[in-house]
Amino acid sequence: MNAPFPYDGPEALVPPITQALTRVVDPEVALNIVDLGLVYGVDARDGCVQLRMTMTSAACPVAGLIVDEVETELDRALPPEWKIKVQLVWEPPWSTDCLSERARAFMRW
């Protein structure tokens, strides 16, 4: 299974990581962070999942909530010994080019 975001790690972890991240919804637009294109990359190795992500705006008022949900959902999906690190980045800046086809259809773009 190919991940819908840049991924480096064991193939067996792609489904649980993807499912966990699609459960995280940006409440401002009612779409999950994967379809919004907020996940810039996931690196899973040596018992640690490192996730690089962004927000649709640097002024996003729910950024902390979304990051907390990402950590919670990954914690539920991964083996208990795995550590989770979420890095919020602003480069490259998010744009509508990041949206999945599903998100474009939802937004009627």
Side-chain angles (χ1 to χ4, degrees):
M1 172 182 190
N2 289 333
F5 40 77
Y7 176 81
D8 186 21
E11 284 297 312
L13 291 180
V14 172
I17 289 172
T18 302
Q19 291 165 4
L21 295 177
T22 57
R23 287 191 295 268
V24 179
V25 174
D26 182 327
E28 293 187 309
V29 290
L31 283 168
N32 73 66
I33 64 170
V34 173
D35 284 333
L36 279 172
L38 300 182
V39 179
Y40 282 175
V42 176
D43 183 31
R45 68 179 79 212
D46 302 324
C48 183
V49 170
Q50 295 186 355
L51 180 133
R52 287 182 58 246
M53 66 178 295
T54 194
M55 296 291 139
T56 57
S57 159
C60 178
V62 294
L65 174 70
I66 292 172
V67 169
D68 287 347
E69 277 194 57
V70 165
E71 291 171 347
T72 297
E73 290 298 335
L74 287 173
D75 192 46
R76 289 180 183 156
L78 294 168
E81 66 274 7
W82 280 71
K83 302 219 181 313
I84 298 157
K85 294 182 182 176
V86 178
Q87 180 184 12
L88 197 55
V89 299
W90 305 110
E91 292 295 326
W94 181 87
S95 76
T96 55
D97 293 339
C98 298
L99 294 170
S100 71
E101 287 304 314
R102 184 171 167 226
R104 290 178 190 285
F106 178 81
M107 297 177 129
R108 297 185 180 153
W109 287 357

